[in-house]
Amino acid sequence: MARLRDQVAVVTDASGGLGSRIAVALAREGSAVIVHYPRHAEAAEAVVRTIEQAGGRATAARGDLSQPDEAAAVIAAAGTAFGRLDILVNNGGATHHGPVLRMKDEDWRAVIATNLTSSFYCIRAALREFLRQRRGRIINIASPAQPGTVGQGNYVAAKAGIIGLTRAVAREVASRGITVNAIAPGFVAAGMTAEMTAEMTTRYLDRIPLGRLGTADDVAAAVVFLAGADAGYLTGQVLNVDGGMIMH
């Protein structure tokens, strides 16, 4: 039986990579999906077609989530298309590497906006619906990089902020039946990590007890779990989907 039957999800940055696999996994379990995309309409429509060809329901929604009005419009698209909203997955991510001393102002602002501010705007918009129905699931994609990674001060700050935001919101809305959790993927062969060289991959494998890179489907399965009824007593948590790398 589909675990998310008749539910509706918004997945941000879902036109490719990790986001597309999350969207497909949620749809496979019965959820209708808003496939958000910031730029590439063709890629988003391809995800929608994949879901529909498998018998699911989906529609694409464009928006710059760093703008509060556009974020609210993407969240509202769930109600317009499918009549409700049950699940929000904040999946947006961007990096602009460089040491802090030489980091450009625009690189700092862009990464904070994409990784943290956009999540805040989407959460704020979704909570209006969740508080009304006294139920909802918010799942934020964080990172194991928050203890500190050289050359990624902006990214690390943003993802650490995601974890802090997750816990603050979880505490604020727990009494209303809303859960808020984060997933910290390790080195997953999708999205930004897919661009690693063979040398980098070998180096990182030495830090992963399970001895392999993760897959987008590993992370998507964790999202489905946190979105479902079996995770109803989990909130304010960070689930490390990293092959045990956190133990290194």
Side-chain angles (χ1 to χ4, degrees):
M1 181 176 177
R3 288 177 283 176
L4 303 175
R5 184 177 180 181
D6 298 327
Q7 296 192 39
V8 178
V10 170
V11 182
T12 71
D13 201 4
S15 58
L18 178 58
S20 66
R21 299 309 303 164
I22 291 171
V24 168
L26 291 170
R28 188 183 300 123
E29 291 295 336
S31 178
V33 182
I34 298 295
V35 178
H36 162 261
Y37 67 98
R39 285 177 298 277
H40 305 298
E42 298 85 356
E45 291 296 343
V47 177
V48 170
R49 286 195 299 274
T50 296
I51 291 171
E52 291 179 339
Q53 289 168 1
R57 298 178 296 155
T59 190
R62 183 185 181 281
D64 177 357
L65 302 182
S66 69
Q67 302 302 312
D69 291 346
E70 294 192 40
V74 169
I75 297 300
T80 301
F82 302 117
R84 59 181 294 123
L85 175 64
D86 302 281
I87 303 158
L88 168 62
V89 183
N90 282 310
N91 172 66
T95 60
H96 291 284
H97 301 314
V100 168
L101 188 62
R102 296 198 297 271
M103 185 172 290
K104 298 177 181 178
D105 292 348
E106 55 266 33
D107 288 344
W108 172 267
R109 287 193 293 264
V111 169
I112 296 296
T114 300
N115 292 281
L116 181 57
T117 304
S118 295
S119 296
F120 165 71
Y121 287 147
C122 288
I123 289 170
R124 187 173 65 182
L127 280 179
R128 296 187 177 102
E129 179 67 14
F130 291 163
L131 289 169
R132 184 189 62 78
Q133 65 195 26
R134 299 185 70 85
R135 186 190 181 282
R137 295 280 197 266
I138 298 172
I139 302 160
N140 300 317
I141 303 301
S143 168
Q146 69 269 4
T149 302
V150 173
Q152 291 188 324
N154 47 5
Y155 180 78
V156 171
K159 289 301 187 178
I162 283 288
I163 291 176
L165 180 63
T166 295
R167 290 171 172 158
V169 179
R171 189 175 292 274
E172 287 183 15
V173 301
S175 65
R176 305 297 185 91
I178 302 164
T179 66
V180 189
N181 293 289
I183 292 173
F187 292 103
V188 174
M192 294 177 290
T193 309
E195 300 173 4
M196 291 194 308
T197 65
E199 181 182 354
M200 292 170 63
T201 299
T202 299
R203 186 166 69 248
Y204 287 128
L205 283 173
D206 290 339
R207 299 170 53 192
I208 302 172
L210 285 181
R212 68 170 176 87
L213 296 181
T215 68
D217 288 336
D218 290 328
V219 180
V223 171
V224 169
F225 166 67
L226 289 175
D230 289 343
Y233 200 54
L234 292 175
T235 197
Q237 304 302 308
V238 180
L239 180 57
N240 292 281
V241 183
D242 64 0
M245 189 175 67
I246 195 172
M247 299 184 294
H248 196 275

